[in-house]
Every structure is written in C-alpha cells, then in structure tokens.
Amino acid sequence: MQTRLFQGVPVSEVGLGCWQLGGGDWGAMDNTSACAILRAAYERGVTFFDTADVYGGGVSEQRIGAWRAQDRPEGVFVATKLGRRGDPGGLENFSYAAMRQHTTDSLSRLGVERLDLTQLHCIPTDVLRQGEVFVHLRELRREGLIARFGVSVESMEEAQLCLEQDGLASLQIIFNLFRQKPITALFEEAKAKNTALIVRLPLASGLLAGKYTVQTQFAASDHRTYNRDGGAFNVGETFAGLPFERGVALADALKSFVPEGWTLAQLAQRWILDFDAVTTLIPGATRLGQVESNVSVSDLPRLPESLHQQLSTFYSEHVASHIRGPY
C-alpha cells in the first residue's frame, strides 16, 4: 500500500469508507462482519478510515471503536463527520453547544480522547457561507477535542467557499469517472493551499464495478433504492447523480477501456489515484473480496496518458449532460 501525506501525516492512498459498516442504508451487517472487514483492510495496509455520526445512528463509529479496542491497530487515522443528526436537528445542529455534544458523542463511540479529523457533513450551503460553524470548529480544536477539521461537500461552489476558511485541513468530494468536474474546478487550488482531498463514491455506488444490470434490485432500506432520484438526500450521493439505467449502460460502455487483466473497478480507482491532488480515496466494502480488490489498486501502474484522454472525452461526450444534483 502506497501512502500520501495528509497535511504531513502519512495515510494509505486507498482508505475504507465505513458508511456500509453502519448497516441500514447499504443493507444489514452484523458486528462480526464489520470487524472482519476492518481487520482485513488494516492487514492489507489501509490506515485511513472514514465514518460519520449518522451512519447507522452511530453504529459505524461504535464498530470502529470496538475493533480498535480489540485489535489495537497502530498508525490508524479515523475521520468522522457531524451536522446531520436529528437531535436537535436542522439549523440547531450548527450551534456550538450541539457541535460540541455531537463531537463528544463521537469521541465516546470511537473510544478516543481526540478526533483525528471531524468534517462538516454536507451541510447547507448558506450555513457554510455564513461561516460561524468554522468558528466553532476552531474552538473545538483549541479545546483539544479535534486535531483537524474539514468539510464534506456536494458541489464545487461549496468547495470554493470552504477553501477561504483558515485552518481547513481537508475537503471530501465526489470524484469518479462519472464526476470529473473537480479536475478543473478544484485540484490546482487545493494543492496550492495544501488542502487534503478525500474522494468518496469512487465507484459511483457500485456502478463502476460493472456488475449491475437494469434488473438489479436492492433492499427497500438501501439508498440505491430509496434515493436513486434524490428522494431523501442529494441525488449525487447515489449512482453519482445518474439515472440508474443510464449509469448501467455507461458502465458497460466503459468496459471497452479496461486494460487486459484488470477489472473495471480497478480502472476506475487507479484513474483517481493518477491525480496527485488526491490524498486518499475511500471505497466502501460489504464483503472481504471487495476489500482485496480495492487495496490492489495501489500496486497498479499509472494509466497511459492516451487512456486518460479517452476517458476524458467519454465523460464529456456521453456522461456530463446526464448528471443531476449539485455539482
């Protein structure tokens, strides 16, 4: 596993997204399975783990905390998020009192005294623009409850707003073969400001694994069912904002670009790592085989520049016009 610097701290360039470990939005998962996935990822060199206080209502954080207490892994960097809980909920989540309470709750579930990184969790653009939440984050850092703060954003407009804030450590963005806008809208400025970039949805909710068909069904509780058209939250968080049937067809078309001996998932993730602005990508996993496939990407060679050009053209001509939601 290769590492990259997260503001001076080496982290695995392939991390683990832990939304799935909370169950619910990705289907059921028990404690044993979650621990096995965490352990397998760590044993294969993963040191960056991304979670949130709302994943499974705190279950994802609890499972990470239980695994760390049991296995005592060294050199682990855990990022979490806050801002979307239902207590108190809405704009009241962004008071200092609520943010501090939500932070201490995460500390308790994760079993640590200080968070490596806390991130605002896709909160309203107007709240970011007002800026008071960043004052609160700096105070939490001054208190020693967090080591760093960042923001998980939905759009490049939000990313630019956050880059104006002093002390911003990171931005978490949606970036994949179906969402290429950050290349021109963000990467150079993020590098200039030494802002770490965490890439979520590298496989577009599984579309870019290339295994779905238009007949593929998901559980009713799975966001790939209930949010595929943005019924619950930003549509971009599900299938990268593409209509499901269109996404399946586009993923099938991309298979013609896959190098011999590779999978589409490996191509999709190696493509992301070829950009030096990216600090780490955080694919999720519900099975051990997915962990194995994801971490293998770090050992693959860079893609030829000619293939990068072809994938850029494919995006411009066949994908960009179909993306829905903030971008």
Side-chain angles (χ1 to χ4, degrees):
M1 173 66 69
Q2 302 299 311
T3 62
R4 301 188 183 192
L5 292 180
F6 191 109
Q7 294 208 323
V9 179
V11 299
S12 59
E13 64 180 9
V14 179
L16 180 69
C18 298
W19 186 4
Q20 289 91 333
L21 302 190
D25 294 320
W26 290 88
M29 179 177 292
D30 59 31
N31 289 333
T32 301
S33 298
C35 185
I37 288 171
L38 289 163
R39 183 175 293 128
Y42 178 72
E43 289 174 349
R44 288 157 179 78
V46 173
T47 59
F48 190 94
F49 298 83
D50 179 84
T51 185
D53 59 6
V54 292
Y55 292 166
V59 170
S60 177
E61 288 183 329
Q62 289 171 345
R63 287 172 168 169
I64 294 170
W67 163 65
R68 293 183 74 176
Q70 178 177 331
D71 286 15
R72 303 290 181 183
E74 298 181 354
V76 166
F77 189 112
V78 177
T80 192
K81 310 183 200 73
L82 81 170
R84 298 184 68 168
R85 275 174 48 173
D87 54 327
L91 295 178
E92 293 182 35
N93 277 347
F94 311 122
S95 70
Y96 178 70
M99 289 176 65
R100 192 180 193 284
Q101 182 62 59
H102 294 171
T103 297
T104 57
D105 289 346
S106 290
L107 288 167
S108 177
R109 286 190 289 265
L110 289 166
V112 296
E113 295 182 353
R114 184 175 68 166
L115 299 177
D116 296 323
L117 173 72
T118 196
Q119 304 158 90
L120 299 174
H121 195 178
C122 301
I123 69 173
T125 306
D126 286 345
V127 176
L128 292 174
R129 188 175 288 112
Q130 290 163 9
E132 189 174 11
V133 284
F134 295 101
V135 176
H136 300 334
L137 288 168
R138 294 184 192 104
E139 178 60 20
L140 291 170
R141 186 180 60 186
R142 189 196 66 77
E143 284 192 63
L145 298 177
I146 65 174
R148 306 165 191 83
F149 64 83
V151 186
S152 180
V153 298
E154 300 285 11
S155 68
M156 293 301 96
E157 176 192 3
E158 292 177 351
Q160 291 296 331
L161 285 172
C162 295
L163 283 173
E164 298 173 3
Q165 293 292 333
D166 291 337
L168 182 78
S170 64
L171 288 169
Q172 185 175 138
I173 60 171
I174 302 173
F175 177 57
N176 55 52
L177 284 169
F178 291 155
R179 305 267 293 201
Q180 297 189 22
K181 186 176 179 180
I183 298 171
T184 55
L186 178 63
F187 281 4
E188 287 307 313
E189 187 171 359
K191 288 197 301 182
K193 295 191 173 183
N194 191 32
T195 302
L197 294 183
I198 305 164
V199 171
R200 71 182 185 275
L201 296 172
L203 296 179
S205 306
L207 275 177
L208 288 167
K211 297 180 180 180
Y212 296 159
T213 70
V214 294
Q215 287 78 37
T216 300
Q217 298 289 316
F218 307 96
S221 61
D222 192 309
H223 76 105
R224 290 168 293 182
T225 296
Y226 70 77
N227 194 60
R228 63 173 55 188
D229 293 314
F233 43 83
N234 175 26
V235 69
E237 300 288 351
T238 304
F239 303 130
L242 292 171
F244 179 64
E245 293 78 8
R246 173 71 62 176
V248 169
L250 290 169
D252 285 343
L254 280 171
K255 292 175 182 177
S256 64
F257 297 102
V258 177
E260 184 176 357
W262 291 32
T263 65
L264 177 57
Q266 288 174 322
L267 167 66
Q269 293 179 95
R270 183 62 253 178
W271 176 84
I272 294 170
L273 289 179
D274 282 356
F275 294 92
D276 62 1
V278 171
T279 305
T280 186
L281 58 90
I282 49 171
T286 56
R287 300 187 303 275
L288 296 181
Q290 293 171 332
V291 174
E292 195 79 52
S293 174
N294 293 338
V295 300
S296 71
V297 176
S298 183
D299 291 329
L300 294 175
R302 289 179 57 87
L303 301 176
E305 185 57 33
S306 58
L307 181 51
H308 271 280
Q309 291 295 328
Q310 290 175 313
L311 293 170
S312 176
T313 299
F314 180 87
Y315 165 78
S316 298
E317 294 183 352
H318 303 290
V319 181
S321 63
H322 299 288
I323 295 173
R324 301 169 296 171
Y327 186 29

